[in-house]
Amino acid sequence: MTSTIFTPGAQAGGAPVIGLVGSAGAYGRWLRRFFEERMGLRVLGHDPADAGSDPPSLLVEEAEVLVFAAPIRHTPGLIADYVARSAGRERGRLWLDITSLKQAPVAAMLESQAEVVGLHPMTAPLKTPTLKGRVVVVCEARLDAWRPWLQHLLEALQGEYVRSTPAHHDRVMALVQAMVHAAHLGQAGVLRSFAAELGGPAQLMPYRSIGFEMDAAVTARILSLNPEIYEDIQFGNPHTGEMLERLATEIARLRTLVGRGDEPARAEFREHFLSRNLEAWGDGAAADGSYTFERVGYLLADLTETRRLSVHLPEDRPGSLRALLHVFEAHGISLSSIHSSRTPAGEVHFRIGFDSGADVASLRAAAAEIDQSGLGRVLERP
């Protein structure tokens, strides 16, 4: 059988066949929905975890865009396997990967004759249909004819994009990902060591500061998702060791200073950990970060309101929110906060807070009207 060497119908708006390697994983499933529902493309997918998935031979033969969405440690080997299977048939096609490390996967893809781009969405798979508001790192390694289609893809994903080389990406990820995860896993270990004396997170949370609550949320997020990802981010990045050594040096220095406890130690603490770090951080970045912290604090405070409703608006159209707010106005109810978020099923809902003295009977009447009118569906009520 003679295979086709593609000279891409890769113009913006074109409709290439997509092949997903790792189609049964969390990102593989998300990407299938995105390509099929948002871009209207035919998607083939192979995954050893899915006996009903397409065979690799079909992806090699028909996929014009091949996307590797497999676990980090397995991705370079999988790419090498597809290079061997393709045996030159990939010429004129586009290969992408979405792993959290870029040097090894991109180098493996460059052994093919395909055009090559490494992508790294800086988020776990979302409940939203796009990556709107999320950072995506783009490493263009070998790109020519597929450039217009790649731009079309990025516009459809609706991410916030930063360009990088694979080498620079992996060094940055040692700080942005590996260091953050290591610090929070270390905190989790410390909390576990004190649990018998002081209780676990649930017992500590009534004493929370904003900082503790935010750190606890990050730690819980890490512990609740796929452990293989966090393991590979630590062990798969060649720059993690250097980062951990520097982090350990800073913690050891702080421990020594606190152990001394004298005024010279306090002065060194102020100079090394506060003054010099603020200088390196920069006044502007420090002020912006502090303001972000304040805003998150206000949000967390809003989420503790005892008088609240959560409402899903099934019709996403102009005026829906205005109609919802009119119901509360008609019942003489004042709002203290309103936030939008998503349920575990991915539905947008509005969490509306009221003063603690708000009349419960009026709130329940408003909730009943929202349900009965079909305007919305009340998910949480007083």
Side-chain angles (χ1 to χ4, degrees), residues 31-67:
L31 285 168
R32 180 182 287 276
R33 290 193 300 271
F34 170 79
F35 283 122
E36 290 179 342
E37 298 174 11
R38 299 289 296 191
M39 298 191 73
L41 301 177
R42 179 184 173 215
V43 178
L44 305 172
H46 173 74
D47 198 303
D50 179 7
S53 64
D54 300 307
S57 58
L58 187 62
L59 275 66
V60 167
E61 191 64 36
E62 298 191 20
E64 299 165 76
V65 176
L66 195 62
V67 184

Coordinates of all heavy atoms in Angstrom, one line a residue, residues 31-67:
L31 N -8.5 16.5 25.3 CA -8.1 16.9 23.9 C -9.1 16.3 22.9 O -9.4 17.0 21.9 CB -6.7 16.4 23.6 CG -5.6 17.2 24.3 CD1 -4.2 16.5 24.2 CD2 -5.5 18.6 23.7
R32 N -9.5 15.1 23.1 CA -10.5 14.5 22.1 C -11.7 15.4 22.1 O -12.2 15.7 21.0 CB -10.8 13.1 22.5 CG -11.9 12.4 21.5 CD -12.2 11.1 21.9 NE -11.2 10.1 21.7 CZ -11.0 9.5 20.5 NH1 -11.7 9.8 19.5 NH2 -10.0 8.6 20.4
R33 N -12.3 15.7 23.2 CA -13.4 16.6 23.3 C -13.2 17.9 22.6 O -14.0 18.4 21.8 CB -13.9 16.8 24.7 CG -14.5 15.6 25.3 CD -15.3 16.0 26.6 NE -14.4 16.6 27.6 CZ -13.7 15.9 28.5 NH1 -13.7 14.6 28.6 NH2 -12.9 16.6 29.4
F34 N -12.0 18.5 22.9 CA -11.7 19.8 22.3 C -11.6 19.7 20.8 O -12.2 20.5 20.1 CB -10.3 20.3 22.9 CG -9.8 21.5 22.2 CD1 -10.3 22.8 22.4 CD2 -8.8 21.4 21.2 CE1 -9.8 23.9 21.8 CE2 -8.3 22.5 20.5 CZ -8.8 23.7 20.8
F35 N -10.8 18.8 20.3 CA -10.6 18.7 18.8 C -12.0 18.3 18.1 O -12.2 18.9 17.0 CB -9.6 17.6 18.5 CG -8.2 18.1 18.7 CD1 -7.3 17.4 19.5 CD2 -7.7 19.2 18.1 CE1 -6.0 17.8 19.7 CE2 -6.4 19.6 18.3 CZ -5.5 18.9 19.1
E36 N -12.8 17.5 18.7 CA -14.0 17.1 18.1 C -15.1 18.2 18.2 O -15.7 18.5 17.2 CB -14.5 15.8 18.7 CG -13.7 14.6 18.3 CD -14.2 13.3 18.9 OE1 -15.0 13.3 19.9 OE2 -13.8 12.2 18.4
E37 N -15.3 18.7 19.4 CA -16.4 19.6 19.7 C -16.1 21.0 19.3 O -16.9 21.8 18.8 CB -16.9 19.4 21.1 CG -17.3 18.0 21.4 CD -17.7 17.9 22.9 OE1 -17.7 18.9 23.7 OE2 -17.9 16.7 23.3
R38 N -14.9 21.5 19.6 CA -14.5 22.9 19.4 C -14.0 23.1 18.0 O -14.2 24.2 17.5 CB -13.5 23.4 20.4 CG -13.9 23.3 21.9 CD -15.0 24.3 22.2 NE -14.5 25.7 22.2 CZ -15.2 26.7 22.6 NH1 -16.3 26.5 23.2 NH2 -14.7 27.9 22.5
M39 N -13.2 22.2 17.5 CA -12.6 22.4 16.2 C -13.2 21.5 15.1 O -12.9 21.7 13.9 CB -11.1 22.1 16.3 CG -10.4 23.0 17.2 SD -8.6 22.9 17.1 CE -8.3 23.7 15.5
G40 N -14.2 20.6 15.4 CA -14.8 19.9 14.4 C -14.0 18.9 13.6 O -14.2 18.7 12.4
L41 N -12.9 18.3 14.3 CA -12.0 17.5 13.6 C -12.2 16.0 13.9 O -12.7 15.7 14.9 CB -10.5 17.9 14.0 CG -10.1 19.3 13.7 CD1 -8.7 19.6 14.3 CD2 -10.2 19.7 12.2
R42 N -11.8 15.2 12.9 CA -11.8 13.7 13.2 C -10.6 13.4 14.0 O -9.5 13.8 13.8 CB -11.7 13.0 11.8 CG -11.7 11.5 11.9 CD -11.5 10.8 10.6 NE -11.3 9.4 10.7 CZ -10.5 8.7 9.9 NH1 -9.8 9.3 8.9 NH2 -10.4 7.4 10.1
V43 N -10.8 12.6 15.1 CA -9.8 12.2 16.0 C -9.6 10.7 16.1 O -10.6 10.0 16.3 CB -10.1 12.8 17.4 CG1 -9.0 12.4 18.4 CG2 -10.2 14.3 17.4
L44 N -8.4 10.2 15.9 CA -8.0 8.9 16.2 C -7.3 8.8 17.5 O -6.6 9.8 17.8 CB -7.2 8.3 15.0 CG -7.7 8.4 13.6 CD1 -6.7 8.0 12.6 CD2 -9.0 7.5 13.5
G45 N -7.3 7.7 18.2 CA -6.6 7.7 19.5 C -6.2 6.3 19.8 O -6.9 5.3 19.6
H46 N -5.0 6.2 20.4 CA -4.5 4.9 20.9 C -4.0 5.0 22.3 O -3.4 6.0 22.7 CB -3.3 4.4 20.0 CG -2.7 3.1 20.6 ND1 -3.3 1.9 20.6 CD2 -1.6 2.9 21.4 CE1 -2.6 1.0 21.2 NE2 -1.5 1.6 21.7
D47 N -4.4 4.0 23.1 CA -3.9 4.0 24.5 C -4.0 2.5 25.0 O -5.0 1.8 24.8 CB -4.8 4.8 25.4 CG -4.2 5.2 26.7 OD1 -3.8 4.2 27.4 OD2 -4.0 6.4 27.0
P48 N -2.8 2.0 25.5 CA -2.8 0.6 26.0 C -3.9 0.4 27.0 O -4.3 -0.8 27.2 CB -1.4 0.5 26.6 CG -0.6 1.5 25.9 CD -1.5 2.7 25.7
A49 N -4.3 1.4 27.8 CA -5.4 1.3 28.8 C -6.8 1.1 28.2 O -7.7 0.8 28.9 CB -5.3 2.4 29.8
D50 N -6.9 1.3 26.9 CA -8.2 1.2 26.3 C -8.2 0.2 25.1 O -7.6 0.5 24.1 CB -8.6 2.6 25.7 CG -9.9 2.6 25.0 OD1 -10.6 1.6 25.0 OD2 -10.3 3.6 24.4
A51 N -8.7 -1.0 25.4 CA -8.6 -2.1 24.4 C -9.4 -1.7 23.2 O -9.1 -2.3 22.1 CB -9.2 -3.4 25.1
G52 N -10.3 -0.8 23.2 CA -11.1 -0.5 22.0 C -10.5 0.7 21.3 O -11.1 1.1 20.3
S53 N -9.3 1.2 21.7 CA -8.7 2.3 21.0 C -8.2 1.9 19.6 O -8.0 0.7 19.3 CB -7.6 3.0 21.8 OG -6.6 2.1 22.0
D54 N -7.9 2.9 18.8 CA -7.4 2.6 17.4 C -5.9 2.1 17.5 O -5.2 2.5 18.4 CB -7.4 3.9 16.6 CG -8.8 4.5 16.5 OD1 -9.7 3.8 16.0 OD2 -8.9 5.7 16.8
P55 N -5.6 1.2 16.6 CA -4.2 0.7 16.6 C -3.2 1.8 16.2 O -3.5 2.7 15.4 CB -4.2 -0.5 15.6 CG -5.4 -0.1 14.7 CD -6.4 0.6 15.5
P56 N -1.9 1.7 16.7 CA -0.9 2.7 16.2 C -0.8 2.8 14.7 O -0.5 3.8 14.2 CB 0.3 2.2 16.9 CG -0.1 1.4 18.1 CD -1.4 0.8 17.7
S57 N -0.9 1.6 14.1 CA -0.8 1.6 12.6 C -1.8 2.6 11.9 O -1.4 3.2 10.9 CB -0.9 0.2 12.0 OG -2.2 -0.3 12.4
L58 N -3.0 2.7 12.5 CA -4.0 3.6 11.9 C -3.5 5.1 12.1 O -3.7 5.9 11.2 CB -5.3 3.4 12.5 CG -6.5 4.1 11.8 CD1 -6.7 3.8 10.4 CD2 -7.8 3.9 12.6
L59 N -3.0 5.4 13.3 CA -2.5 6.7 13.5 C -1.4 7.1 12.6 O -1.3 8.2 12.0 CB -2.1 6.9 15.0 CG -3.2 7.2 16.0 CD1 -4.2 6.1 16.2 CD2 -2.6 7.6 17.4
V60 N -0.5 6.1 12.4 CA 0.7 6.4 11.6 C 0.2 6.6 10.1 O 0.8 7.5 9.4 CB 1.6 5.2 11.6 CG1 2.7 5.2 10.5 CG2 2.4 5.1 13.0
E61 N -0.8 5.9 9.7 CA -1.2 6.0 8.3 C -2.1 7.2 8.1 O -1.9 7.9 7.0 CB -2.1 4.8 8.0 CG -2.4 4.6 6.5 CD -1.1 4.4 5.6 OE1 -0.2 3.7 6.1 OE2 -1.1 5.0 4.5
E62 N -2.9 7.6 9.0 CA -3.9 8.6 8.7 C -3.8 10.0 9.4 O -4.4 11.0 9.0 CB -5.3 8.1 8.9 CG -5.7 6.9 8.0 CD -7.1 6.5 8.1 OE1 -7.9 7.3 8.5 OE2 -7.4 5.3 7.7
A63 N -3.1 10.0 10.6 CA -3.1 11.2 11.4 C -2.1 12.2 10.8 O -0.9 11.9 10.7 CB -2.7 10.9 12.8
E64 N -2.7 13.4 10.4 CA -1.8 14.4 9.9 C -1.2 15.2 11.0 O -0.1 15.8 10.8 CB -2.6 15.4 9.0 CG -3.2 14.7 7.8 CD -4.3 15.5 7.1 OE1 -4.0 16.5 6.5 OE2 -5.5 15.2 7.3
V65 N -1.9 15.3 12.1 CA -1.3 15.9 13.4 C -1.3 14.9 14.4 O -2.3 14.3 14.8 CB -2.2 17.1 13.8 CG1 -1.6 17.7 15.1 CG2 -2.2 18.2 12.7
L66 N -0.1 14.5 14.9 CA 0.0 13.5 16.0 C 0.4 14.2 17.3 O 1.4 15.0 17.3 CB 1.2 12.5 15.6 CG 1.2 11.2 16.3 CD1 -0.1 10.4 16.1 CD2 2.4 10.4 15.9
V67 N -0.4 13.9 18.3 CA -0.2 14.6 19.6 C 0.1 13.5 20.7 O -0.7 12.6 20.9 CB -1.5 15.3 20.0 CG1 -1.3 16.1 21.4 CG2 -2.0 16.3 19.0

